[in-house]
Amino acid sequence: MSSTLHSFEQAATRAAHDRPQQETVRTSLGTYNRALNAGRERFASWSEARHRARAVKADAVAHLGEYLEQFEARITSRGGHVFWAETAADARDYILDLARRRGVRSVIKSKSMVSEEVHLGAALEGAGLEAVESDLGEFIVQLRNEPPYHIVTPAMHLRRAQIAALFQQKLGTPAGADSAEDLTMAARHYMRARFASAGMGITGANFLIADAGMVAITENEGNARLTASLPPVHVVLTGIEKILPRLTDLALFWPLLSTAGTGQAITCYSSLIGGPRQPGEADGPEEFHVVLLDNGRTRVLADQERRDTLQCIRCGACLNVCPVFHTIGGHAYGTTYSGPIGAVLTPLLRGEKEFGHLSFASSLCGACTEICPVEIDLHHHLIENRRDSALQHVRPLPERIGMRAFRWLMSDAARYARLAQLARHLLRFKNAWVPEGSPLDLLRPWTASRDLPEPPRESFREWWQRTRQERGGHA
Amino acid sequence: MPKGRDHILGRIRAALADRPPGGLPEDVAGAAVFAPVADPLARFQAECQANRTELHLVTAANEADCLTAVLAREKEGGDGTIYVQDAPALRALAARLPAATQTNLQFAPAQPAGIASLTLCEALVARTGSVLVSSRCGGRAATILPPTHIVYAHASQLHAEIDAALLAARSQSPTASLYSLITGPSRTSDIEKMLVLGAHGPKRLTVLLRTD
Ligand code: SF4
């Protein structure tokens, strides 16, 4: 058993029993659900919106190279720099070199999952730089030394009282100041000084607009705007797949992303940034760098079957509707991207060997596919991942025996009927010959946390035959 | 350095050798996706109310009084100055404010931020009740750092849809390094999904919309 699988099983079991945290997450997701439903009503046709969004992103992915070159040329023409990072290490090294060259001592960051993906925070700290997360949720988990719980709402698992205690301890906020407003203002005041003194601002990107040569950043708090305005250097760290062909595509993608992400009609700040301060402008950074990260994405691109996962706009909707995410939460996955998209993408990006098990952590209910605003066929990709995993590895002996027995059982209708009848009888009287929960009880692993339903007295097949006969042969 | 570029682009080309056919749809946010906005001004008013933008419809006759009333309310801010974007229309408007009002045409983020900023905008969007600014509207910080941001706009800048507003901004200010579509005051719901206004950006967003 790989160590990632082992720690996943442990963390998932722990999380599944953490009732208070589940309560917090469920309350949050309940609010999200109501907002999402209201948000979809604002579209004349939500399904048409998804349809077109898929078509646009599919085109963007199908012409990725051309669009990226177009994007790069425009950024460069305004005096910006574009760096192509093949690996996480390339991206980290580039940013650390830049910080060294500019004599940067403190960095202000705004929410970026790609920065989590390349473990930039740890690299900056390792180089002796102070790096502060400015997004409130991200700042809270940073103070707790935790990764984000969710790609859109990083601190959704925490209750207000926990955050108040954290701020009291780490920021010295007064004991009574524990309303959401008090805590937000405490973070605002703490951050103002950091914005002013930071030598470098680092943000992510939601979209890279090819025809405009601009980076689109979506946020509610204004911290990304400040990160891109005050420090003398602005670095955008993002994946190559974030391309959108045209500026006008944002008229669909901004409302689509915010509806799927939070239910809002549009996020508070939808910004486009195309370079450093231009001649005649009052302010803005002297240097502007875009780091385009591959880190396995071109490998996914080469996979025709699962190429559409690169259409993902990281809205988080598939996490929010996933019953597995509801139960085990965001941390158990042990990966940057959790939930259905994480379970599909992580084995593709980081190897089936270590992360293949995530594709099995799904009930395949299909809720993710149904909600995905760019129509990624998530649950079928989970099945494809499982197929690959089965082809590449010898499955455990009990599973192989089980599957063989299953094949034998299912290949003969009469045999199936006879054995199913026998099984029903045995199950009905099971407790008479094996005390429930005893070591002899083979169903114990299953029944330990679930109830075994009473087997029906009659199978469907038997019911069918009986009613047919009763109705004189005309069912 | 260019090695990474060549490698990535090479891998992309190889991966897409079997590129599937398919085109880019036109007019992606058209009537099939969003019902057309019938009355842009009415929609703008309704959306502003929903997203907590304070909207005042003004004319040449009452705009200075309205601005004076708006500013009189502002308490927060160290040195009490109002930063005014250096544009002829705003200079003229500021000149009509009460004599005691301290205005400053040079916004310096390092100084104690004033109580408010007064800027122009590139366009307004009716569908979402948004204000589109650019780095040509007094800079980048002026529209995000002060506790109150006041936008002075004209009804002719109102567009029904986001794409029309973006195209207008690009043709008016083609060299701007930043555009930002602002929808209401800054906010967060990161703590138990409770809405708090004024996260890192302005706590109040006011639009003075000239209708004459
Ligand atoms: S896979 Fe779809 S639903 Fe999930 S985060 Fe990506 S875009 Fe959103």
Side-chain angles (χ1 to χ4, degrees):
Chain A
M1 192 192 285
S2 81
S3 69
T4 40
L5 170 57
H6 186 64
S7 49
F8 171 69
E9 286 184 341
Q10 282 190 327
T13 309
R14 226 176 11 249
H17 289 92
D18 187 344
R19 285 296 152 85
Q21 187 165 101
Q22 278 181 5
E23 242 349 276
T24 311
V25 171
R26 270 176 209 190
T27 312
S28 167
L29 290 175
T31 311
Y32 164 81
N33 247 314
R34 285 188 294 279
L36 172 71
N37 289 334
R40 284 191 286 193
E41 293 297 313
R42 280 191 297 264
F43 289 75
S45 165
W46 171 251
S47 65
E48 185 60 28
R50 295 173 66 221
H51 215 58
R52 294 190 184 189
R54 185 199 53 76
V56 172
K57 277 303 280 190
D59 175 86
V61 169
H63 301 86
L64 192 57
E66 293 93 316
Y67 286 139
L68 284 169
E69 286 180 289
Q70 209 182 334
F71 169 81
E72 178 191 39
R74 304 253 143 93
I75 294 282
T76 315
S77 76
R78 294 188 201 94
H81 305 272
V82 174
F83 177 73
W84 304 67
E86 290 189 71
T87 61
D90 286 353
R92 286 194 302 263
D93 291 348
Y94 181 79
I95 294 171
L96 288 180
D97 280 349
L98 179 60
R100 226 167 280 135
R101 179 167 65 69
R102 295 279 320 195
V104 172
R105 287 220 291 280
S106 77
V107 174
I108 191 101
K109 292 175 71 204
S110 101
K111 214 170 134 12
S112 154
M113 289 312 292
V114 175
S115 136
E116 297 290 329
E117 178 182 335
V118 306
H119 302 294
L120 184 63
L124 292 170
E125 268 168 42
L129 296 165
E130 185 199 40
V132 184
E133 294 287 351
S134 57
D135 171 85
L136 178 58
E138 203 73 40
F139 178 54
I140 293 167
V141 294
Q142 185 187 30
L143 287 180
R144 285 170 57 94
N145 260 320
E146 249 177 24
Y149 190 84
H150 183 287
I151 58 176
V152 175
T153 37
M156 80 185 306
H157 60 305
L158 298 172
R159 287 179 298 285
R160 188 162 48 89
Q162 291 172 286
I163 299 167
L166 179 74
F167 277 21
Q168 231 175 343
Q169 187 204 338
K170 303 263 174 155
L171 308 182
T173 52
D178 60 356
S179 70
E181 166 106 32
D182 292 338
L183 297 169
T184 304
M185 291 310 132
R188 178 184 169 110
H189 288 127
Y190 177 87
M191 219 56 84
R192 278 289 157 123
R194 265 79 192 166
F195 276 117
S197 64
M200 179 188 273
I202 301 177
T203 67
N206 296 93
F207 305 108
L208 307 171
I209 313 300
D211 73 353
M214 297 190 106
V215 171
I217 303 175
T218 284
E219 48 142 1
N220 275 316
E221 297 184 3
N223 60 309
R225 282 277 318 267
L226 289 170
T227 306
S229 299
L230 302 181
V233 180
H234 176 202
V235 178
V236 175
L237 172 58
T238 189
I240 51 172
E241 81 285 12
K242 295 276 167 74
I243 279 285
L244 274 184
R246 304 164 298 200
L247 186 65
T248 48
D249 291 326
L250 291 170
L252 172 60
F253 279 85
W254 273 341
L256 188 83
L257 172 60
S258 58
T259 302
T262 62
Q264 283 173 277
I266 187 161
T267 15
C268 197
Y269 299 102
S270 302
S271 309
L272 287 155
I273 300 168
R277 174 184 187 171
Q278 298 295 293
E281 290 188 340
D283 57 3
E286 298 150 23
E287 286 191 41
F288 177 68
H289 299 256
V290 181
V291 178
L292 297 174
L293 180 70
D294 180 345
N295 206 27
R297 287 163 174 79
T298 46
R299 206 166 48 240
V300 179
L301 188 68
D303 180 343
Q304 279 186 57
E305 206 170 37
R306 277 157 285 190
R307 178 179 291 161
D308 70 348
T309 50
L310 294 178
Q311 293 166 18
C312 174
I313 58 173
R314 304 280 190 269
C315 70
C318 58
L319 284 62
N320 299 343
V321 300
C322 175
V324 176
F325 184 88
H326 286 195
T327 308
I328 68 169
H331 285 152
Y333 291 82
T335 56
T336 306
Y337 307 105
S338 65
I341 184 64
V344 171
L345 211 47
T346 314
L348 299 178
L349 289 175
R350 295 173 65 185
E352 194 275 329
K353 195 162 175 288
E354 260 188 288
F355 295 96
H357 59 271
L358 294 179
S359 307
F360 292 82
S362 166
S363 61
L364 298 179
C365 70
C368 48
T369 306
E370 203 168 291
I371 193 66
C372 176
V374 288
E375 297 186 328
I376 299 172
D377 198 353
L378 288 157
H379 72 293
H380 283 106
H381 292 325
L382 289 172
I383 299 175
E384 289 152 13
N385 282 4
R386 291 181 187 193
R387 176 204 59 207
D388 288 0
S389 166
L391 288 174
Q392 282 174 34
H393 299 282
V394 183
R395 305 296 307 167
L397 186 65
E399 185 178 317
R400 274 185 292 155
I401 294 175
M403 290 315 276
R404 259 169 202 273
F406 184 70
R407 193 194 298 166
W408 175 79
L409 180 69
M410 298 304 283
S411 55
D412 180 332
R415 179 191 296 154
Y416 173 79
R418 270 196 315 279
L419 286 172
Q421 194 183 28
L422 177 65
R424 275 205 314 283
H425 284 303
L426 289 176
L427 273 182
R428 189 144 347 110
F429 302 111
K430 178 180 83 81
N431 289 346
W433 43 272
V434 188
E436 191 173 347
S438 81
L440 284 176
D441 184 355
L442 290 177
L443 295 175
R444 174 89 187 121
W446 173 266
T447 55
S449 55
R450 302 169 186 86
D451 289 326
L452 187 68
E454 185 72 13
R457 303 211 158 254
E458 189 179 39
S459 71
F460 175 74
R461 187 190 291 260
E462 288 161 355
W463 172 86
W464 181 262
Q465 271 164 4
R466 181 168 57 76
T467 40
R468 235 160 96 107
Q469 275 158 15
E470 282 168 10
R471 292 184 194 175
H474 305 288
Chain B
M1 289 288 173
K3 209 174 71 217
R5 182 182 194 275
D6 294 346
H7 287 174
I8 294 174
L9 283 171
R11 280 200 294 271
I12 292 175
R13 262 189 294 277
L16 291 172
D18 63 329
R19 175 150 64 201
L24 197 51
E26 287 303 318
D27 190 24
V28 285
V33 173
F34 293 111
V37 173
D39 178 346
L41 184 58
R43 175 71 181 253
F44 186 70
Q45 286 177 290
E47 293 295 331
C48 281
Q49 192 167 22
N51 69 39
R52 320 264 189 119
T53 300
E54 185 186 271
L55 173 65
H56 298 281
L57 302 184
V58 297
T59 59
N62 68 3
E63 60 182 16
D65 289 343
C66 180
L67 180 59
T68 307
V70 164
L71 288 172
R73 223 182 29 198
E74 302 302 334
K75 301 255 180 326
E76 200 187 332
D79 60 359
T81 18
I82 298 145
Y83 165 75
V84 180
Q85 179 192 342
D86 193 357
L90 297 181
R91 274 177 183 251
L93 182 56
R96 291 162 61 201
L97 289 171
T101 319
Q102 295 176 43
T103 55
N104 186 350
L105 297 169
Q106 283 302 301
F107 186 69
Q111 302 302 309
I115 55 174
S117 64
L118 172 64
T119 75
L120 300 174
C121 68
E122 298 282 352
L124 303 170
V125 178
R127 171 169 304 285
T128 49
S130 315
V131 177
L132 180 60
V133 298
S134 76
S135 42
R136 304 283 165 177
C137 302
R140 292 191 186 191
T143 54
I144 191 71
L145 197 60
T148 294
H149 177 205
I150 305 167
V151 179
Y152 181 69
H154 194 271
S156 62
Q157 291 181 288
L158 183 60
H159 296 267
E161 304 295 344
I162 294 169
D163 41 5
L166 286 173
L167 293 175
R170 198 163 59 160
S171 71
Q172 286 152 211
S173 303
T175 60
S177 61
L178 172 140
Y179 303 101
S180 188
L181 187 69
I182 303 175
T183 309
S186 148
R187 64 197 59 200
T188 183
S189 319
D190 275 353
I191 300 175
E192 290 187 352
K193 282 267 177 199
M194 283 181 276
L195 178 69
V196 178
L197 296 184
H200 290 290
K203 295 179 186 180
R204 197 169 359 225
L205 176 66
T206 303
V207 176
L208 301 189
L209 183 61
R210 275 281 296 264
T211 50
D212 56 340

